[in-house]
Amino acid sequence: MIYLLVSDRQWCLPGSIVVTATNFCPLNPALPSEKGGWCNPPLRHFDLSQPAFLRITQYKAEIVPVAYRRVPCVRRGGIRFQMNGHPYFNLVLITNVGGAGDVHVAAIKGSRLEWQQMKQNWGQNWQSDTYFNGQSLSFKVTTSDGRTVVSNNVVPANWSFGQTFSGSQFR
């Protein structure tokens, strides 16, 4: 979660907002940062929904400098694991992650196999190229603050692609 506060007084409205930030802003190496490469380092870029944007700034503002800081994610329920892909390509979308909120390492364990580190595919989609059909699955999730939570046997052996399961949560 990110706490945003508009820092340019010309457009500022009183107050602040808390948003969930994701990494869906792609780099554009063809453009310099000051000429439209908003997502290029060292810049930080937040695309807000219009209702959220209008809580901290005026409609005519367009691009507004903000002060921000990370705050802990408070979530209801467990971490969610959405099973996608096909038998030799497991793509697991990991959502509803509390604490630091950002997954840095994910691992998967089948009931007949040992722990295997997953590869980050895109966003919070994590992949494994192992055949897990017919096995119950466990997940190990580590966030940027180094904390790890394990969800043992959260996915039953009769799972199928397209299903979502809820596991343990950071406290």
Side-chain angles (χ1 to χ4, degrees), residues 22-24 93-94 103 120-126:
T22 62
N23 62 347
F24 293 150
L93 175 61
I94 302 174
V103 179
Q120 189 171 18
N121 182 291
W122 179 81
Q124 288 308 317
N125 284 287
W126 294 78

Short mmCIF file of all heavy atoms in Angstrom, two decimals, residues 22-24 93-94 103 120-126:
data_model
loop_
_atom_site.label_atom_id
_atom_site.label_comp_id
_atom_site.label_asym_id
_atom_site.label_seq_id
_atom_site.Cartn_x
_atom_site.Cartn_y
_atom_site.Cartn_z
N THR A 22 0.67 -1.23 -7.95
CA THR A 22 1.16 -2.42 -8.65
C THR A 22 2.29 -2.01 -9.58
O THR A 22 2.58 -0.83 -9.74
CB THR A 22 0.02 -3.07 -9.48
OG1 THR A 22 -0.41 -2.13 -10.45
CG2 THR A 22 -1.13 -3.48 -8.60
N ASN A 23 2.91 -2.98 -10.22
CA ASN A 23 4.03 -2.68 -11.10
C ASN A 23 3.63 -2.83 -12.56
O ASN A 23 4.38 -3.35 -13.37
CB ASN A 23 5.22 -3.59 -10.77
CG ASN A 23 4.89 -5.05 -10.97
OD1 ASN A 23 3.73 -5.41 -11.13
ND2 ASN A 23 5.90 -5.88 -10.97
N PHE A 24 2.44 -2.35 -12.93
CA PHE A 24 1.96 -2.52 -14.30
C PHE A 24 2.38 -1.39 -15.22
O PHE A 24 1.93 -1.32 -16.35
CB PHE A 24 0.44 -2.63 -14.31
CG PHE A 24 -0.07 -3.88 -13.66
CD1 PHE A 24 -1.29 -3.90 -13.03
CD2 PHE A 24 0.67 -5.05 -13.69
CE1 PHE A 24 -1.77 -5.06 -12.43
CE2 PHE A 24 0.21 -6.20 -13.10
CZ PHE A 24 -1.02 -6.21 -12.47
N LEU A 93 -1.59 -16.72 -10.00
CA LEU A 93 -1.75 -15.31 -9.65
C LEU A 93 -1.88 -15.23 -8.13
O LEU A 93 -2.80 -15.82 -7.55
CB LEU A 93 -2.99 -14.72 -10.33
CG LEU A 93 -3.33 -13.28 -9.95
CD1 LEU A 93 -2.19 -12.33 -10.31
CD2 LEU A 93 -4.63 -12.86 -10.63
N ILE A 94 -0.95 -14.52 -7.49
CA ILE A 94 -0.94 -14.39 -6.03
C ILE A 94 -1.45 -13.01 -5.66
O ILE A 94 -0.85 -11.99 -6.05
CB ILE A 94 0.48 -14.63 -5.47
CG1 ILE A 94 0.99 -16.01 -5.90
CG2 ILE A 94 0.50 -14.47 -3.96
CD1 ILE A 94 2.44 -16.29 -5.53
N VAL A 103 5.16 -9.43 -3.36
CA VAL A 103 5.80 -10.75 -3.37
C VAL A 103 7.14 -10.64 -4.09
O VAL A 103 7.21 -10.18 -5.22
CB VAL A 103 4.90 -11.79 -4.07
CG1 VAL A 103 5.58 -13.15 -4.09
CG2 VAL A 103 3.55 -11.86 -3.39
N GLN A 120 8.94 -15.33 -11.54
CA GLN A 120 7.95 -14.28 -11.74
C GLN A 120 7.75 -14.10 -13.24
O GLN A 120 8.69 -13.91 -13.99
CB GLN A 120 8.40 -12.97 -11.10
CG GLN A 120 7.31 -11.93 -11.09
CD GLN A 120 7.68 -10.71 -10.26
OE1 GLN A 120 8.83 -10.47 -9.96
NE2 GLN A 120 6.67 -9.94 -9.90
N ASN A 121 6.50 -14.19 -13.66
CA ASN A 121 6.17 -14.08 -15.07
C ASN A 121 5.84 -12.64 -15.43
O ASN A 121 6.49 -12.04 -16.27
CB ASN A 121 5.00 -15.02 -15.39
CG ASN A 121 4.61 -15.02 -16.83
OD1 ASN A 121 4.08 -14.04 -17.33
ND2 ASN A 121 4.84 -16.13 -17.51
N TRP A 122 4.83 -12.08 -14.79
CA TRP A 122 4.40 -10.70 -15.04
C TRP A 122 3.53 -10.28 -13.87
O TRP A 122 2.69 -11.05 -13.41
CB TRP A 122 3.60 -10.66 -16.34
CG TRP A 122 3.10 -9.31 -16.70
CD1 TRP A 122 3.80 -8.31 -17.30
CD2 TRP A 122 1.78 -8.80 -16.49
NE1 TRP A 122 2.99 -7.21 -17.48
CE2 TRP A 122 1.75 -7.50 -16.99
CE3 TRP A 122 0.63 -9.34 -15.93
CZ2 TRP A 122 0.61 -6.70 -16.94
CZ3 TRP A 122 -0.50 -8.54 -15.87
CH2 TRP A 122 -0.49 -7.24 -16.39
N GLY A 123 3.74 -9.07 -13.38
CA GLY A 123 2.96 -8.62 -12.23
C GLY A 123 3.14 -9.59 -11.09
O GLY A 123 4.25 -9.92 -10.71
N GLN A 124 2.05 -10.08 -10.55
CA GLN A 124 2.13 -11.07 -9.48
C GLN A 124 1.70 -12.45 -9.97
O GLN A 124 1.16 -13.26 -9.23
CB GLN A 124 1.31 -10.62 -8.26
CG GLN A 124 1.95 -9.48 -7.52
CD GLN A 124 3.41 -9.75 -7.14
OE1 GLN A 124 3.76 -10.84 -6.70
NE2 GLN A 124 4.26 -8.77 -7.32
N ASN A 125 1.95 -12.72 -11.24
CA ASN A 125 1.79 -14.05 -11.82
C ASN A 125 3.12 -14.78 -11.70
O ASN A 125 4.14 -14.30 -12.22
CB ASN A 125 1.38 -13.96 -13.30
CG ASN A 125 -0.07 -13.60 -13.46
OD1 ASN A 125 -0.94 -14.41 -13.20
ND2 ASN A 125 -0.32 -12.36 -13.87
N TRP A 126 3.09 -15.92 -11.05
CA TRP A 126 4.30 -16.72 -10.82
C TRP A 126 4.13 -18.07 -11.50
O TRP A 126 3.06 -18.64 -11.46
CB TRP A 126 4.52 -16.87 -9.31
CG TRP A 126 4.84 -15.56 -8.67
CD1 TRP A 126 3.96 -14.56 -8.35
CD2 TRP A 126 6.13 -15.07 -8.33
NE1 TRP A 126 4.63 -13.49 -7.81
CE2 TRP A 126 5.97 -13.77 -7.79
CE3 TRP A 126 7.42 -15.61 -8.43
CZ2 TRP A 126 7.04 -13.01 -7.36
CZ3 TRP A 126 8.49 -14.85 -7.98
CH2 TRP A 126 8.29 -13.56 -7.45
#
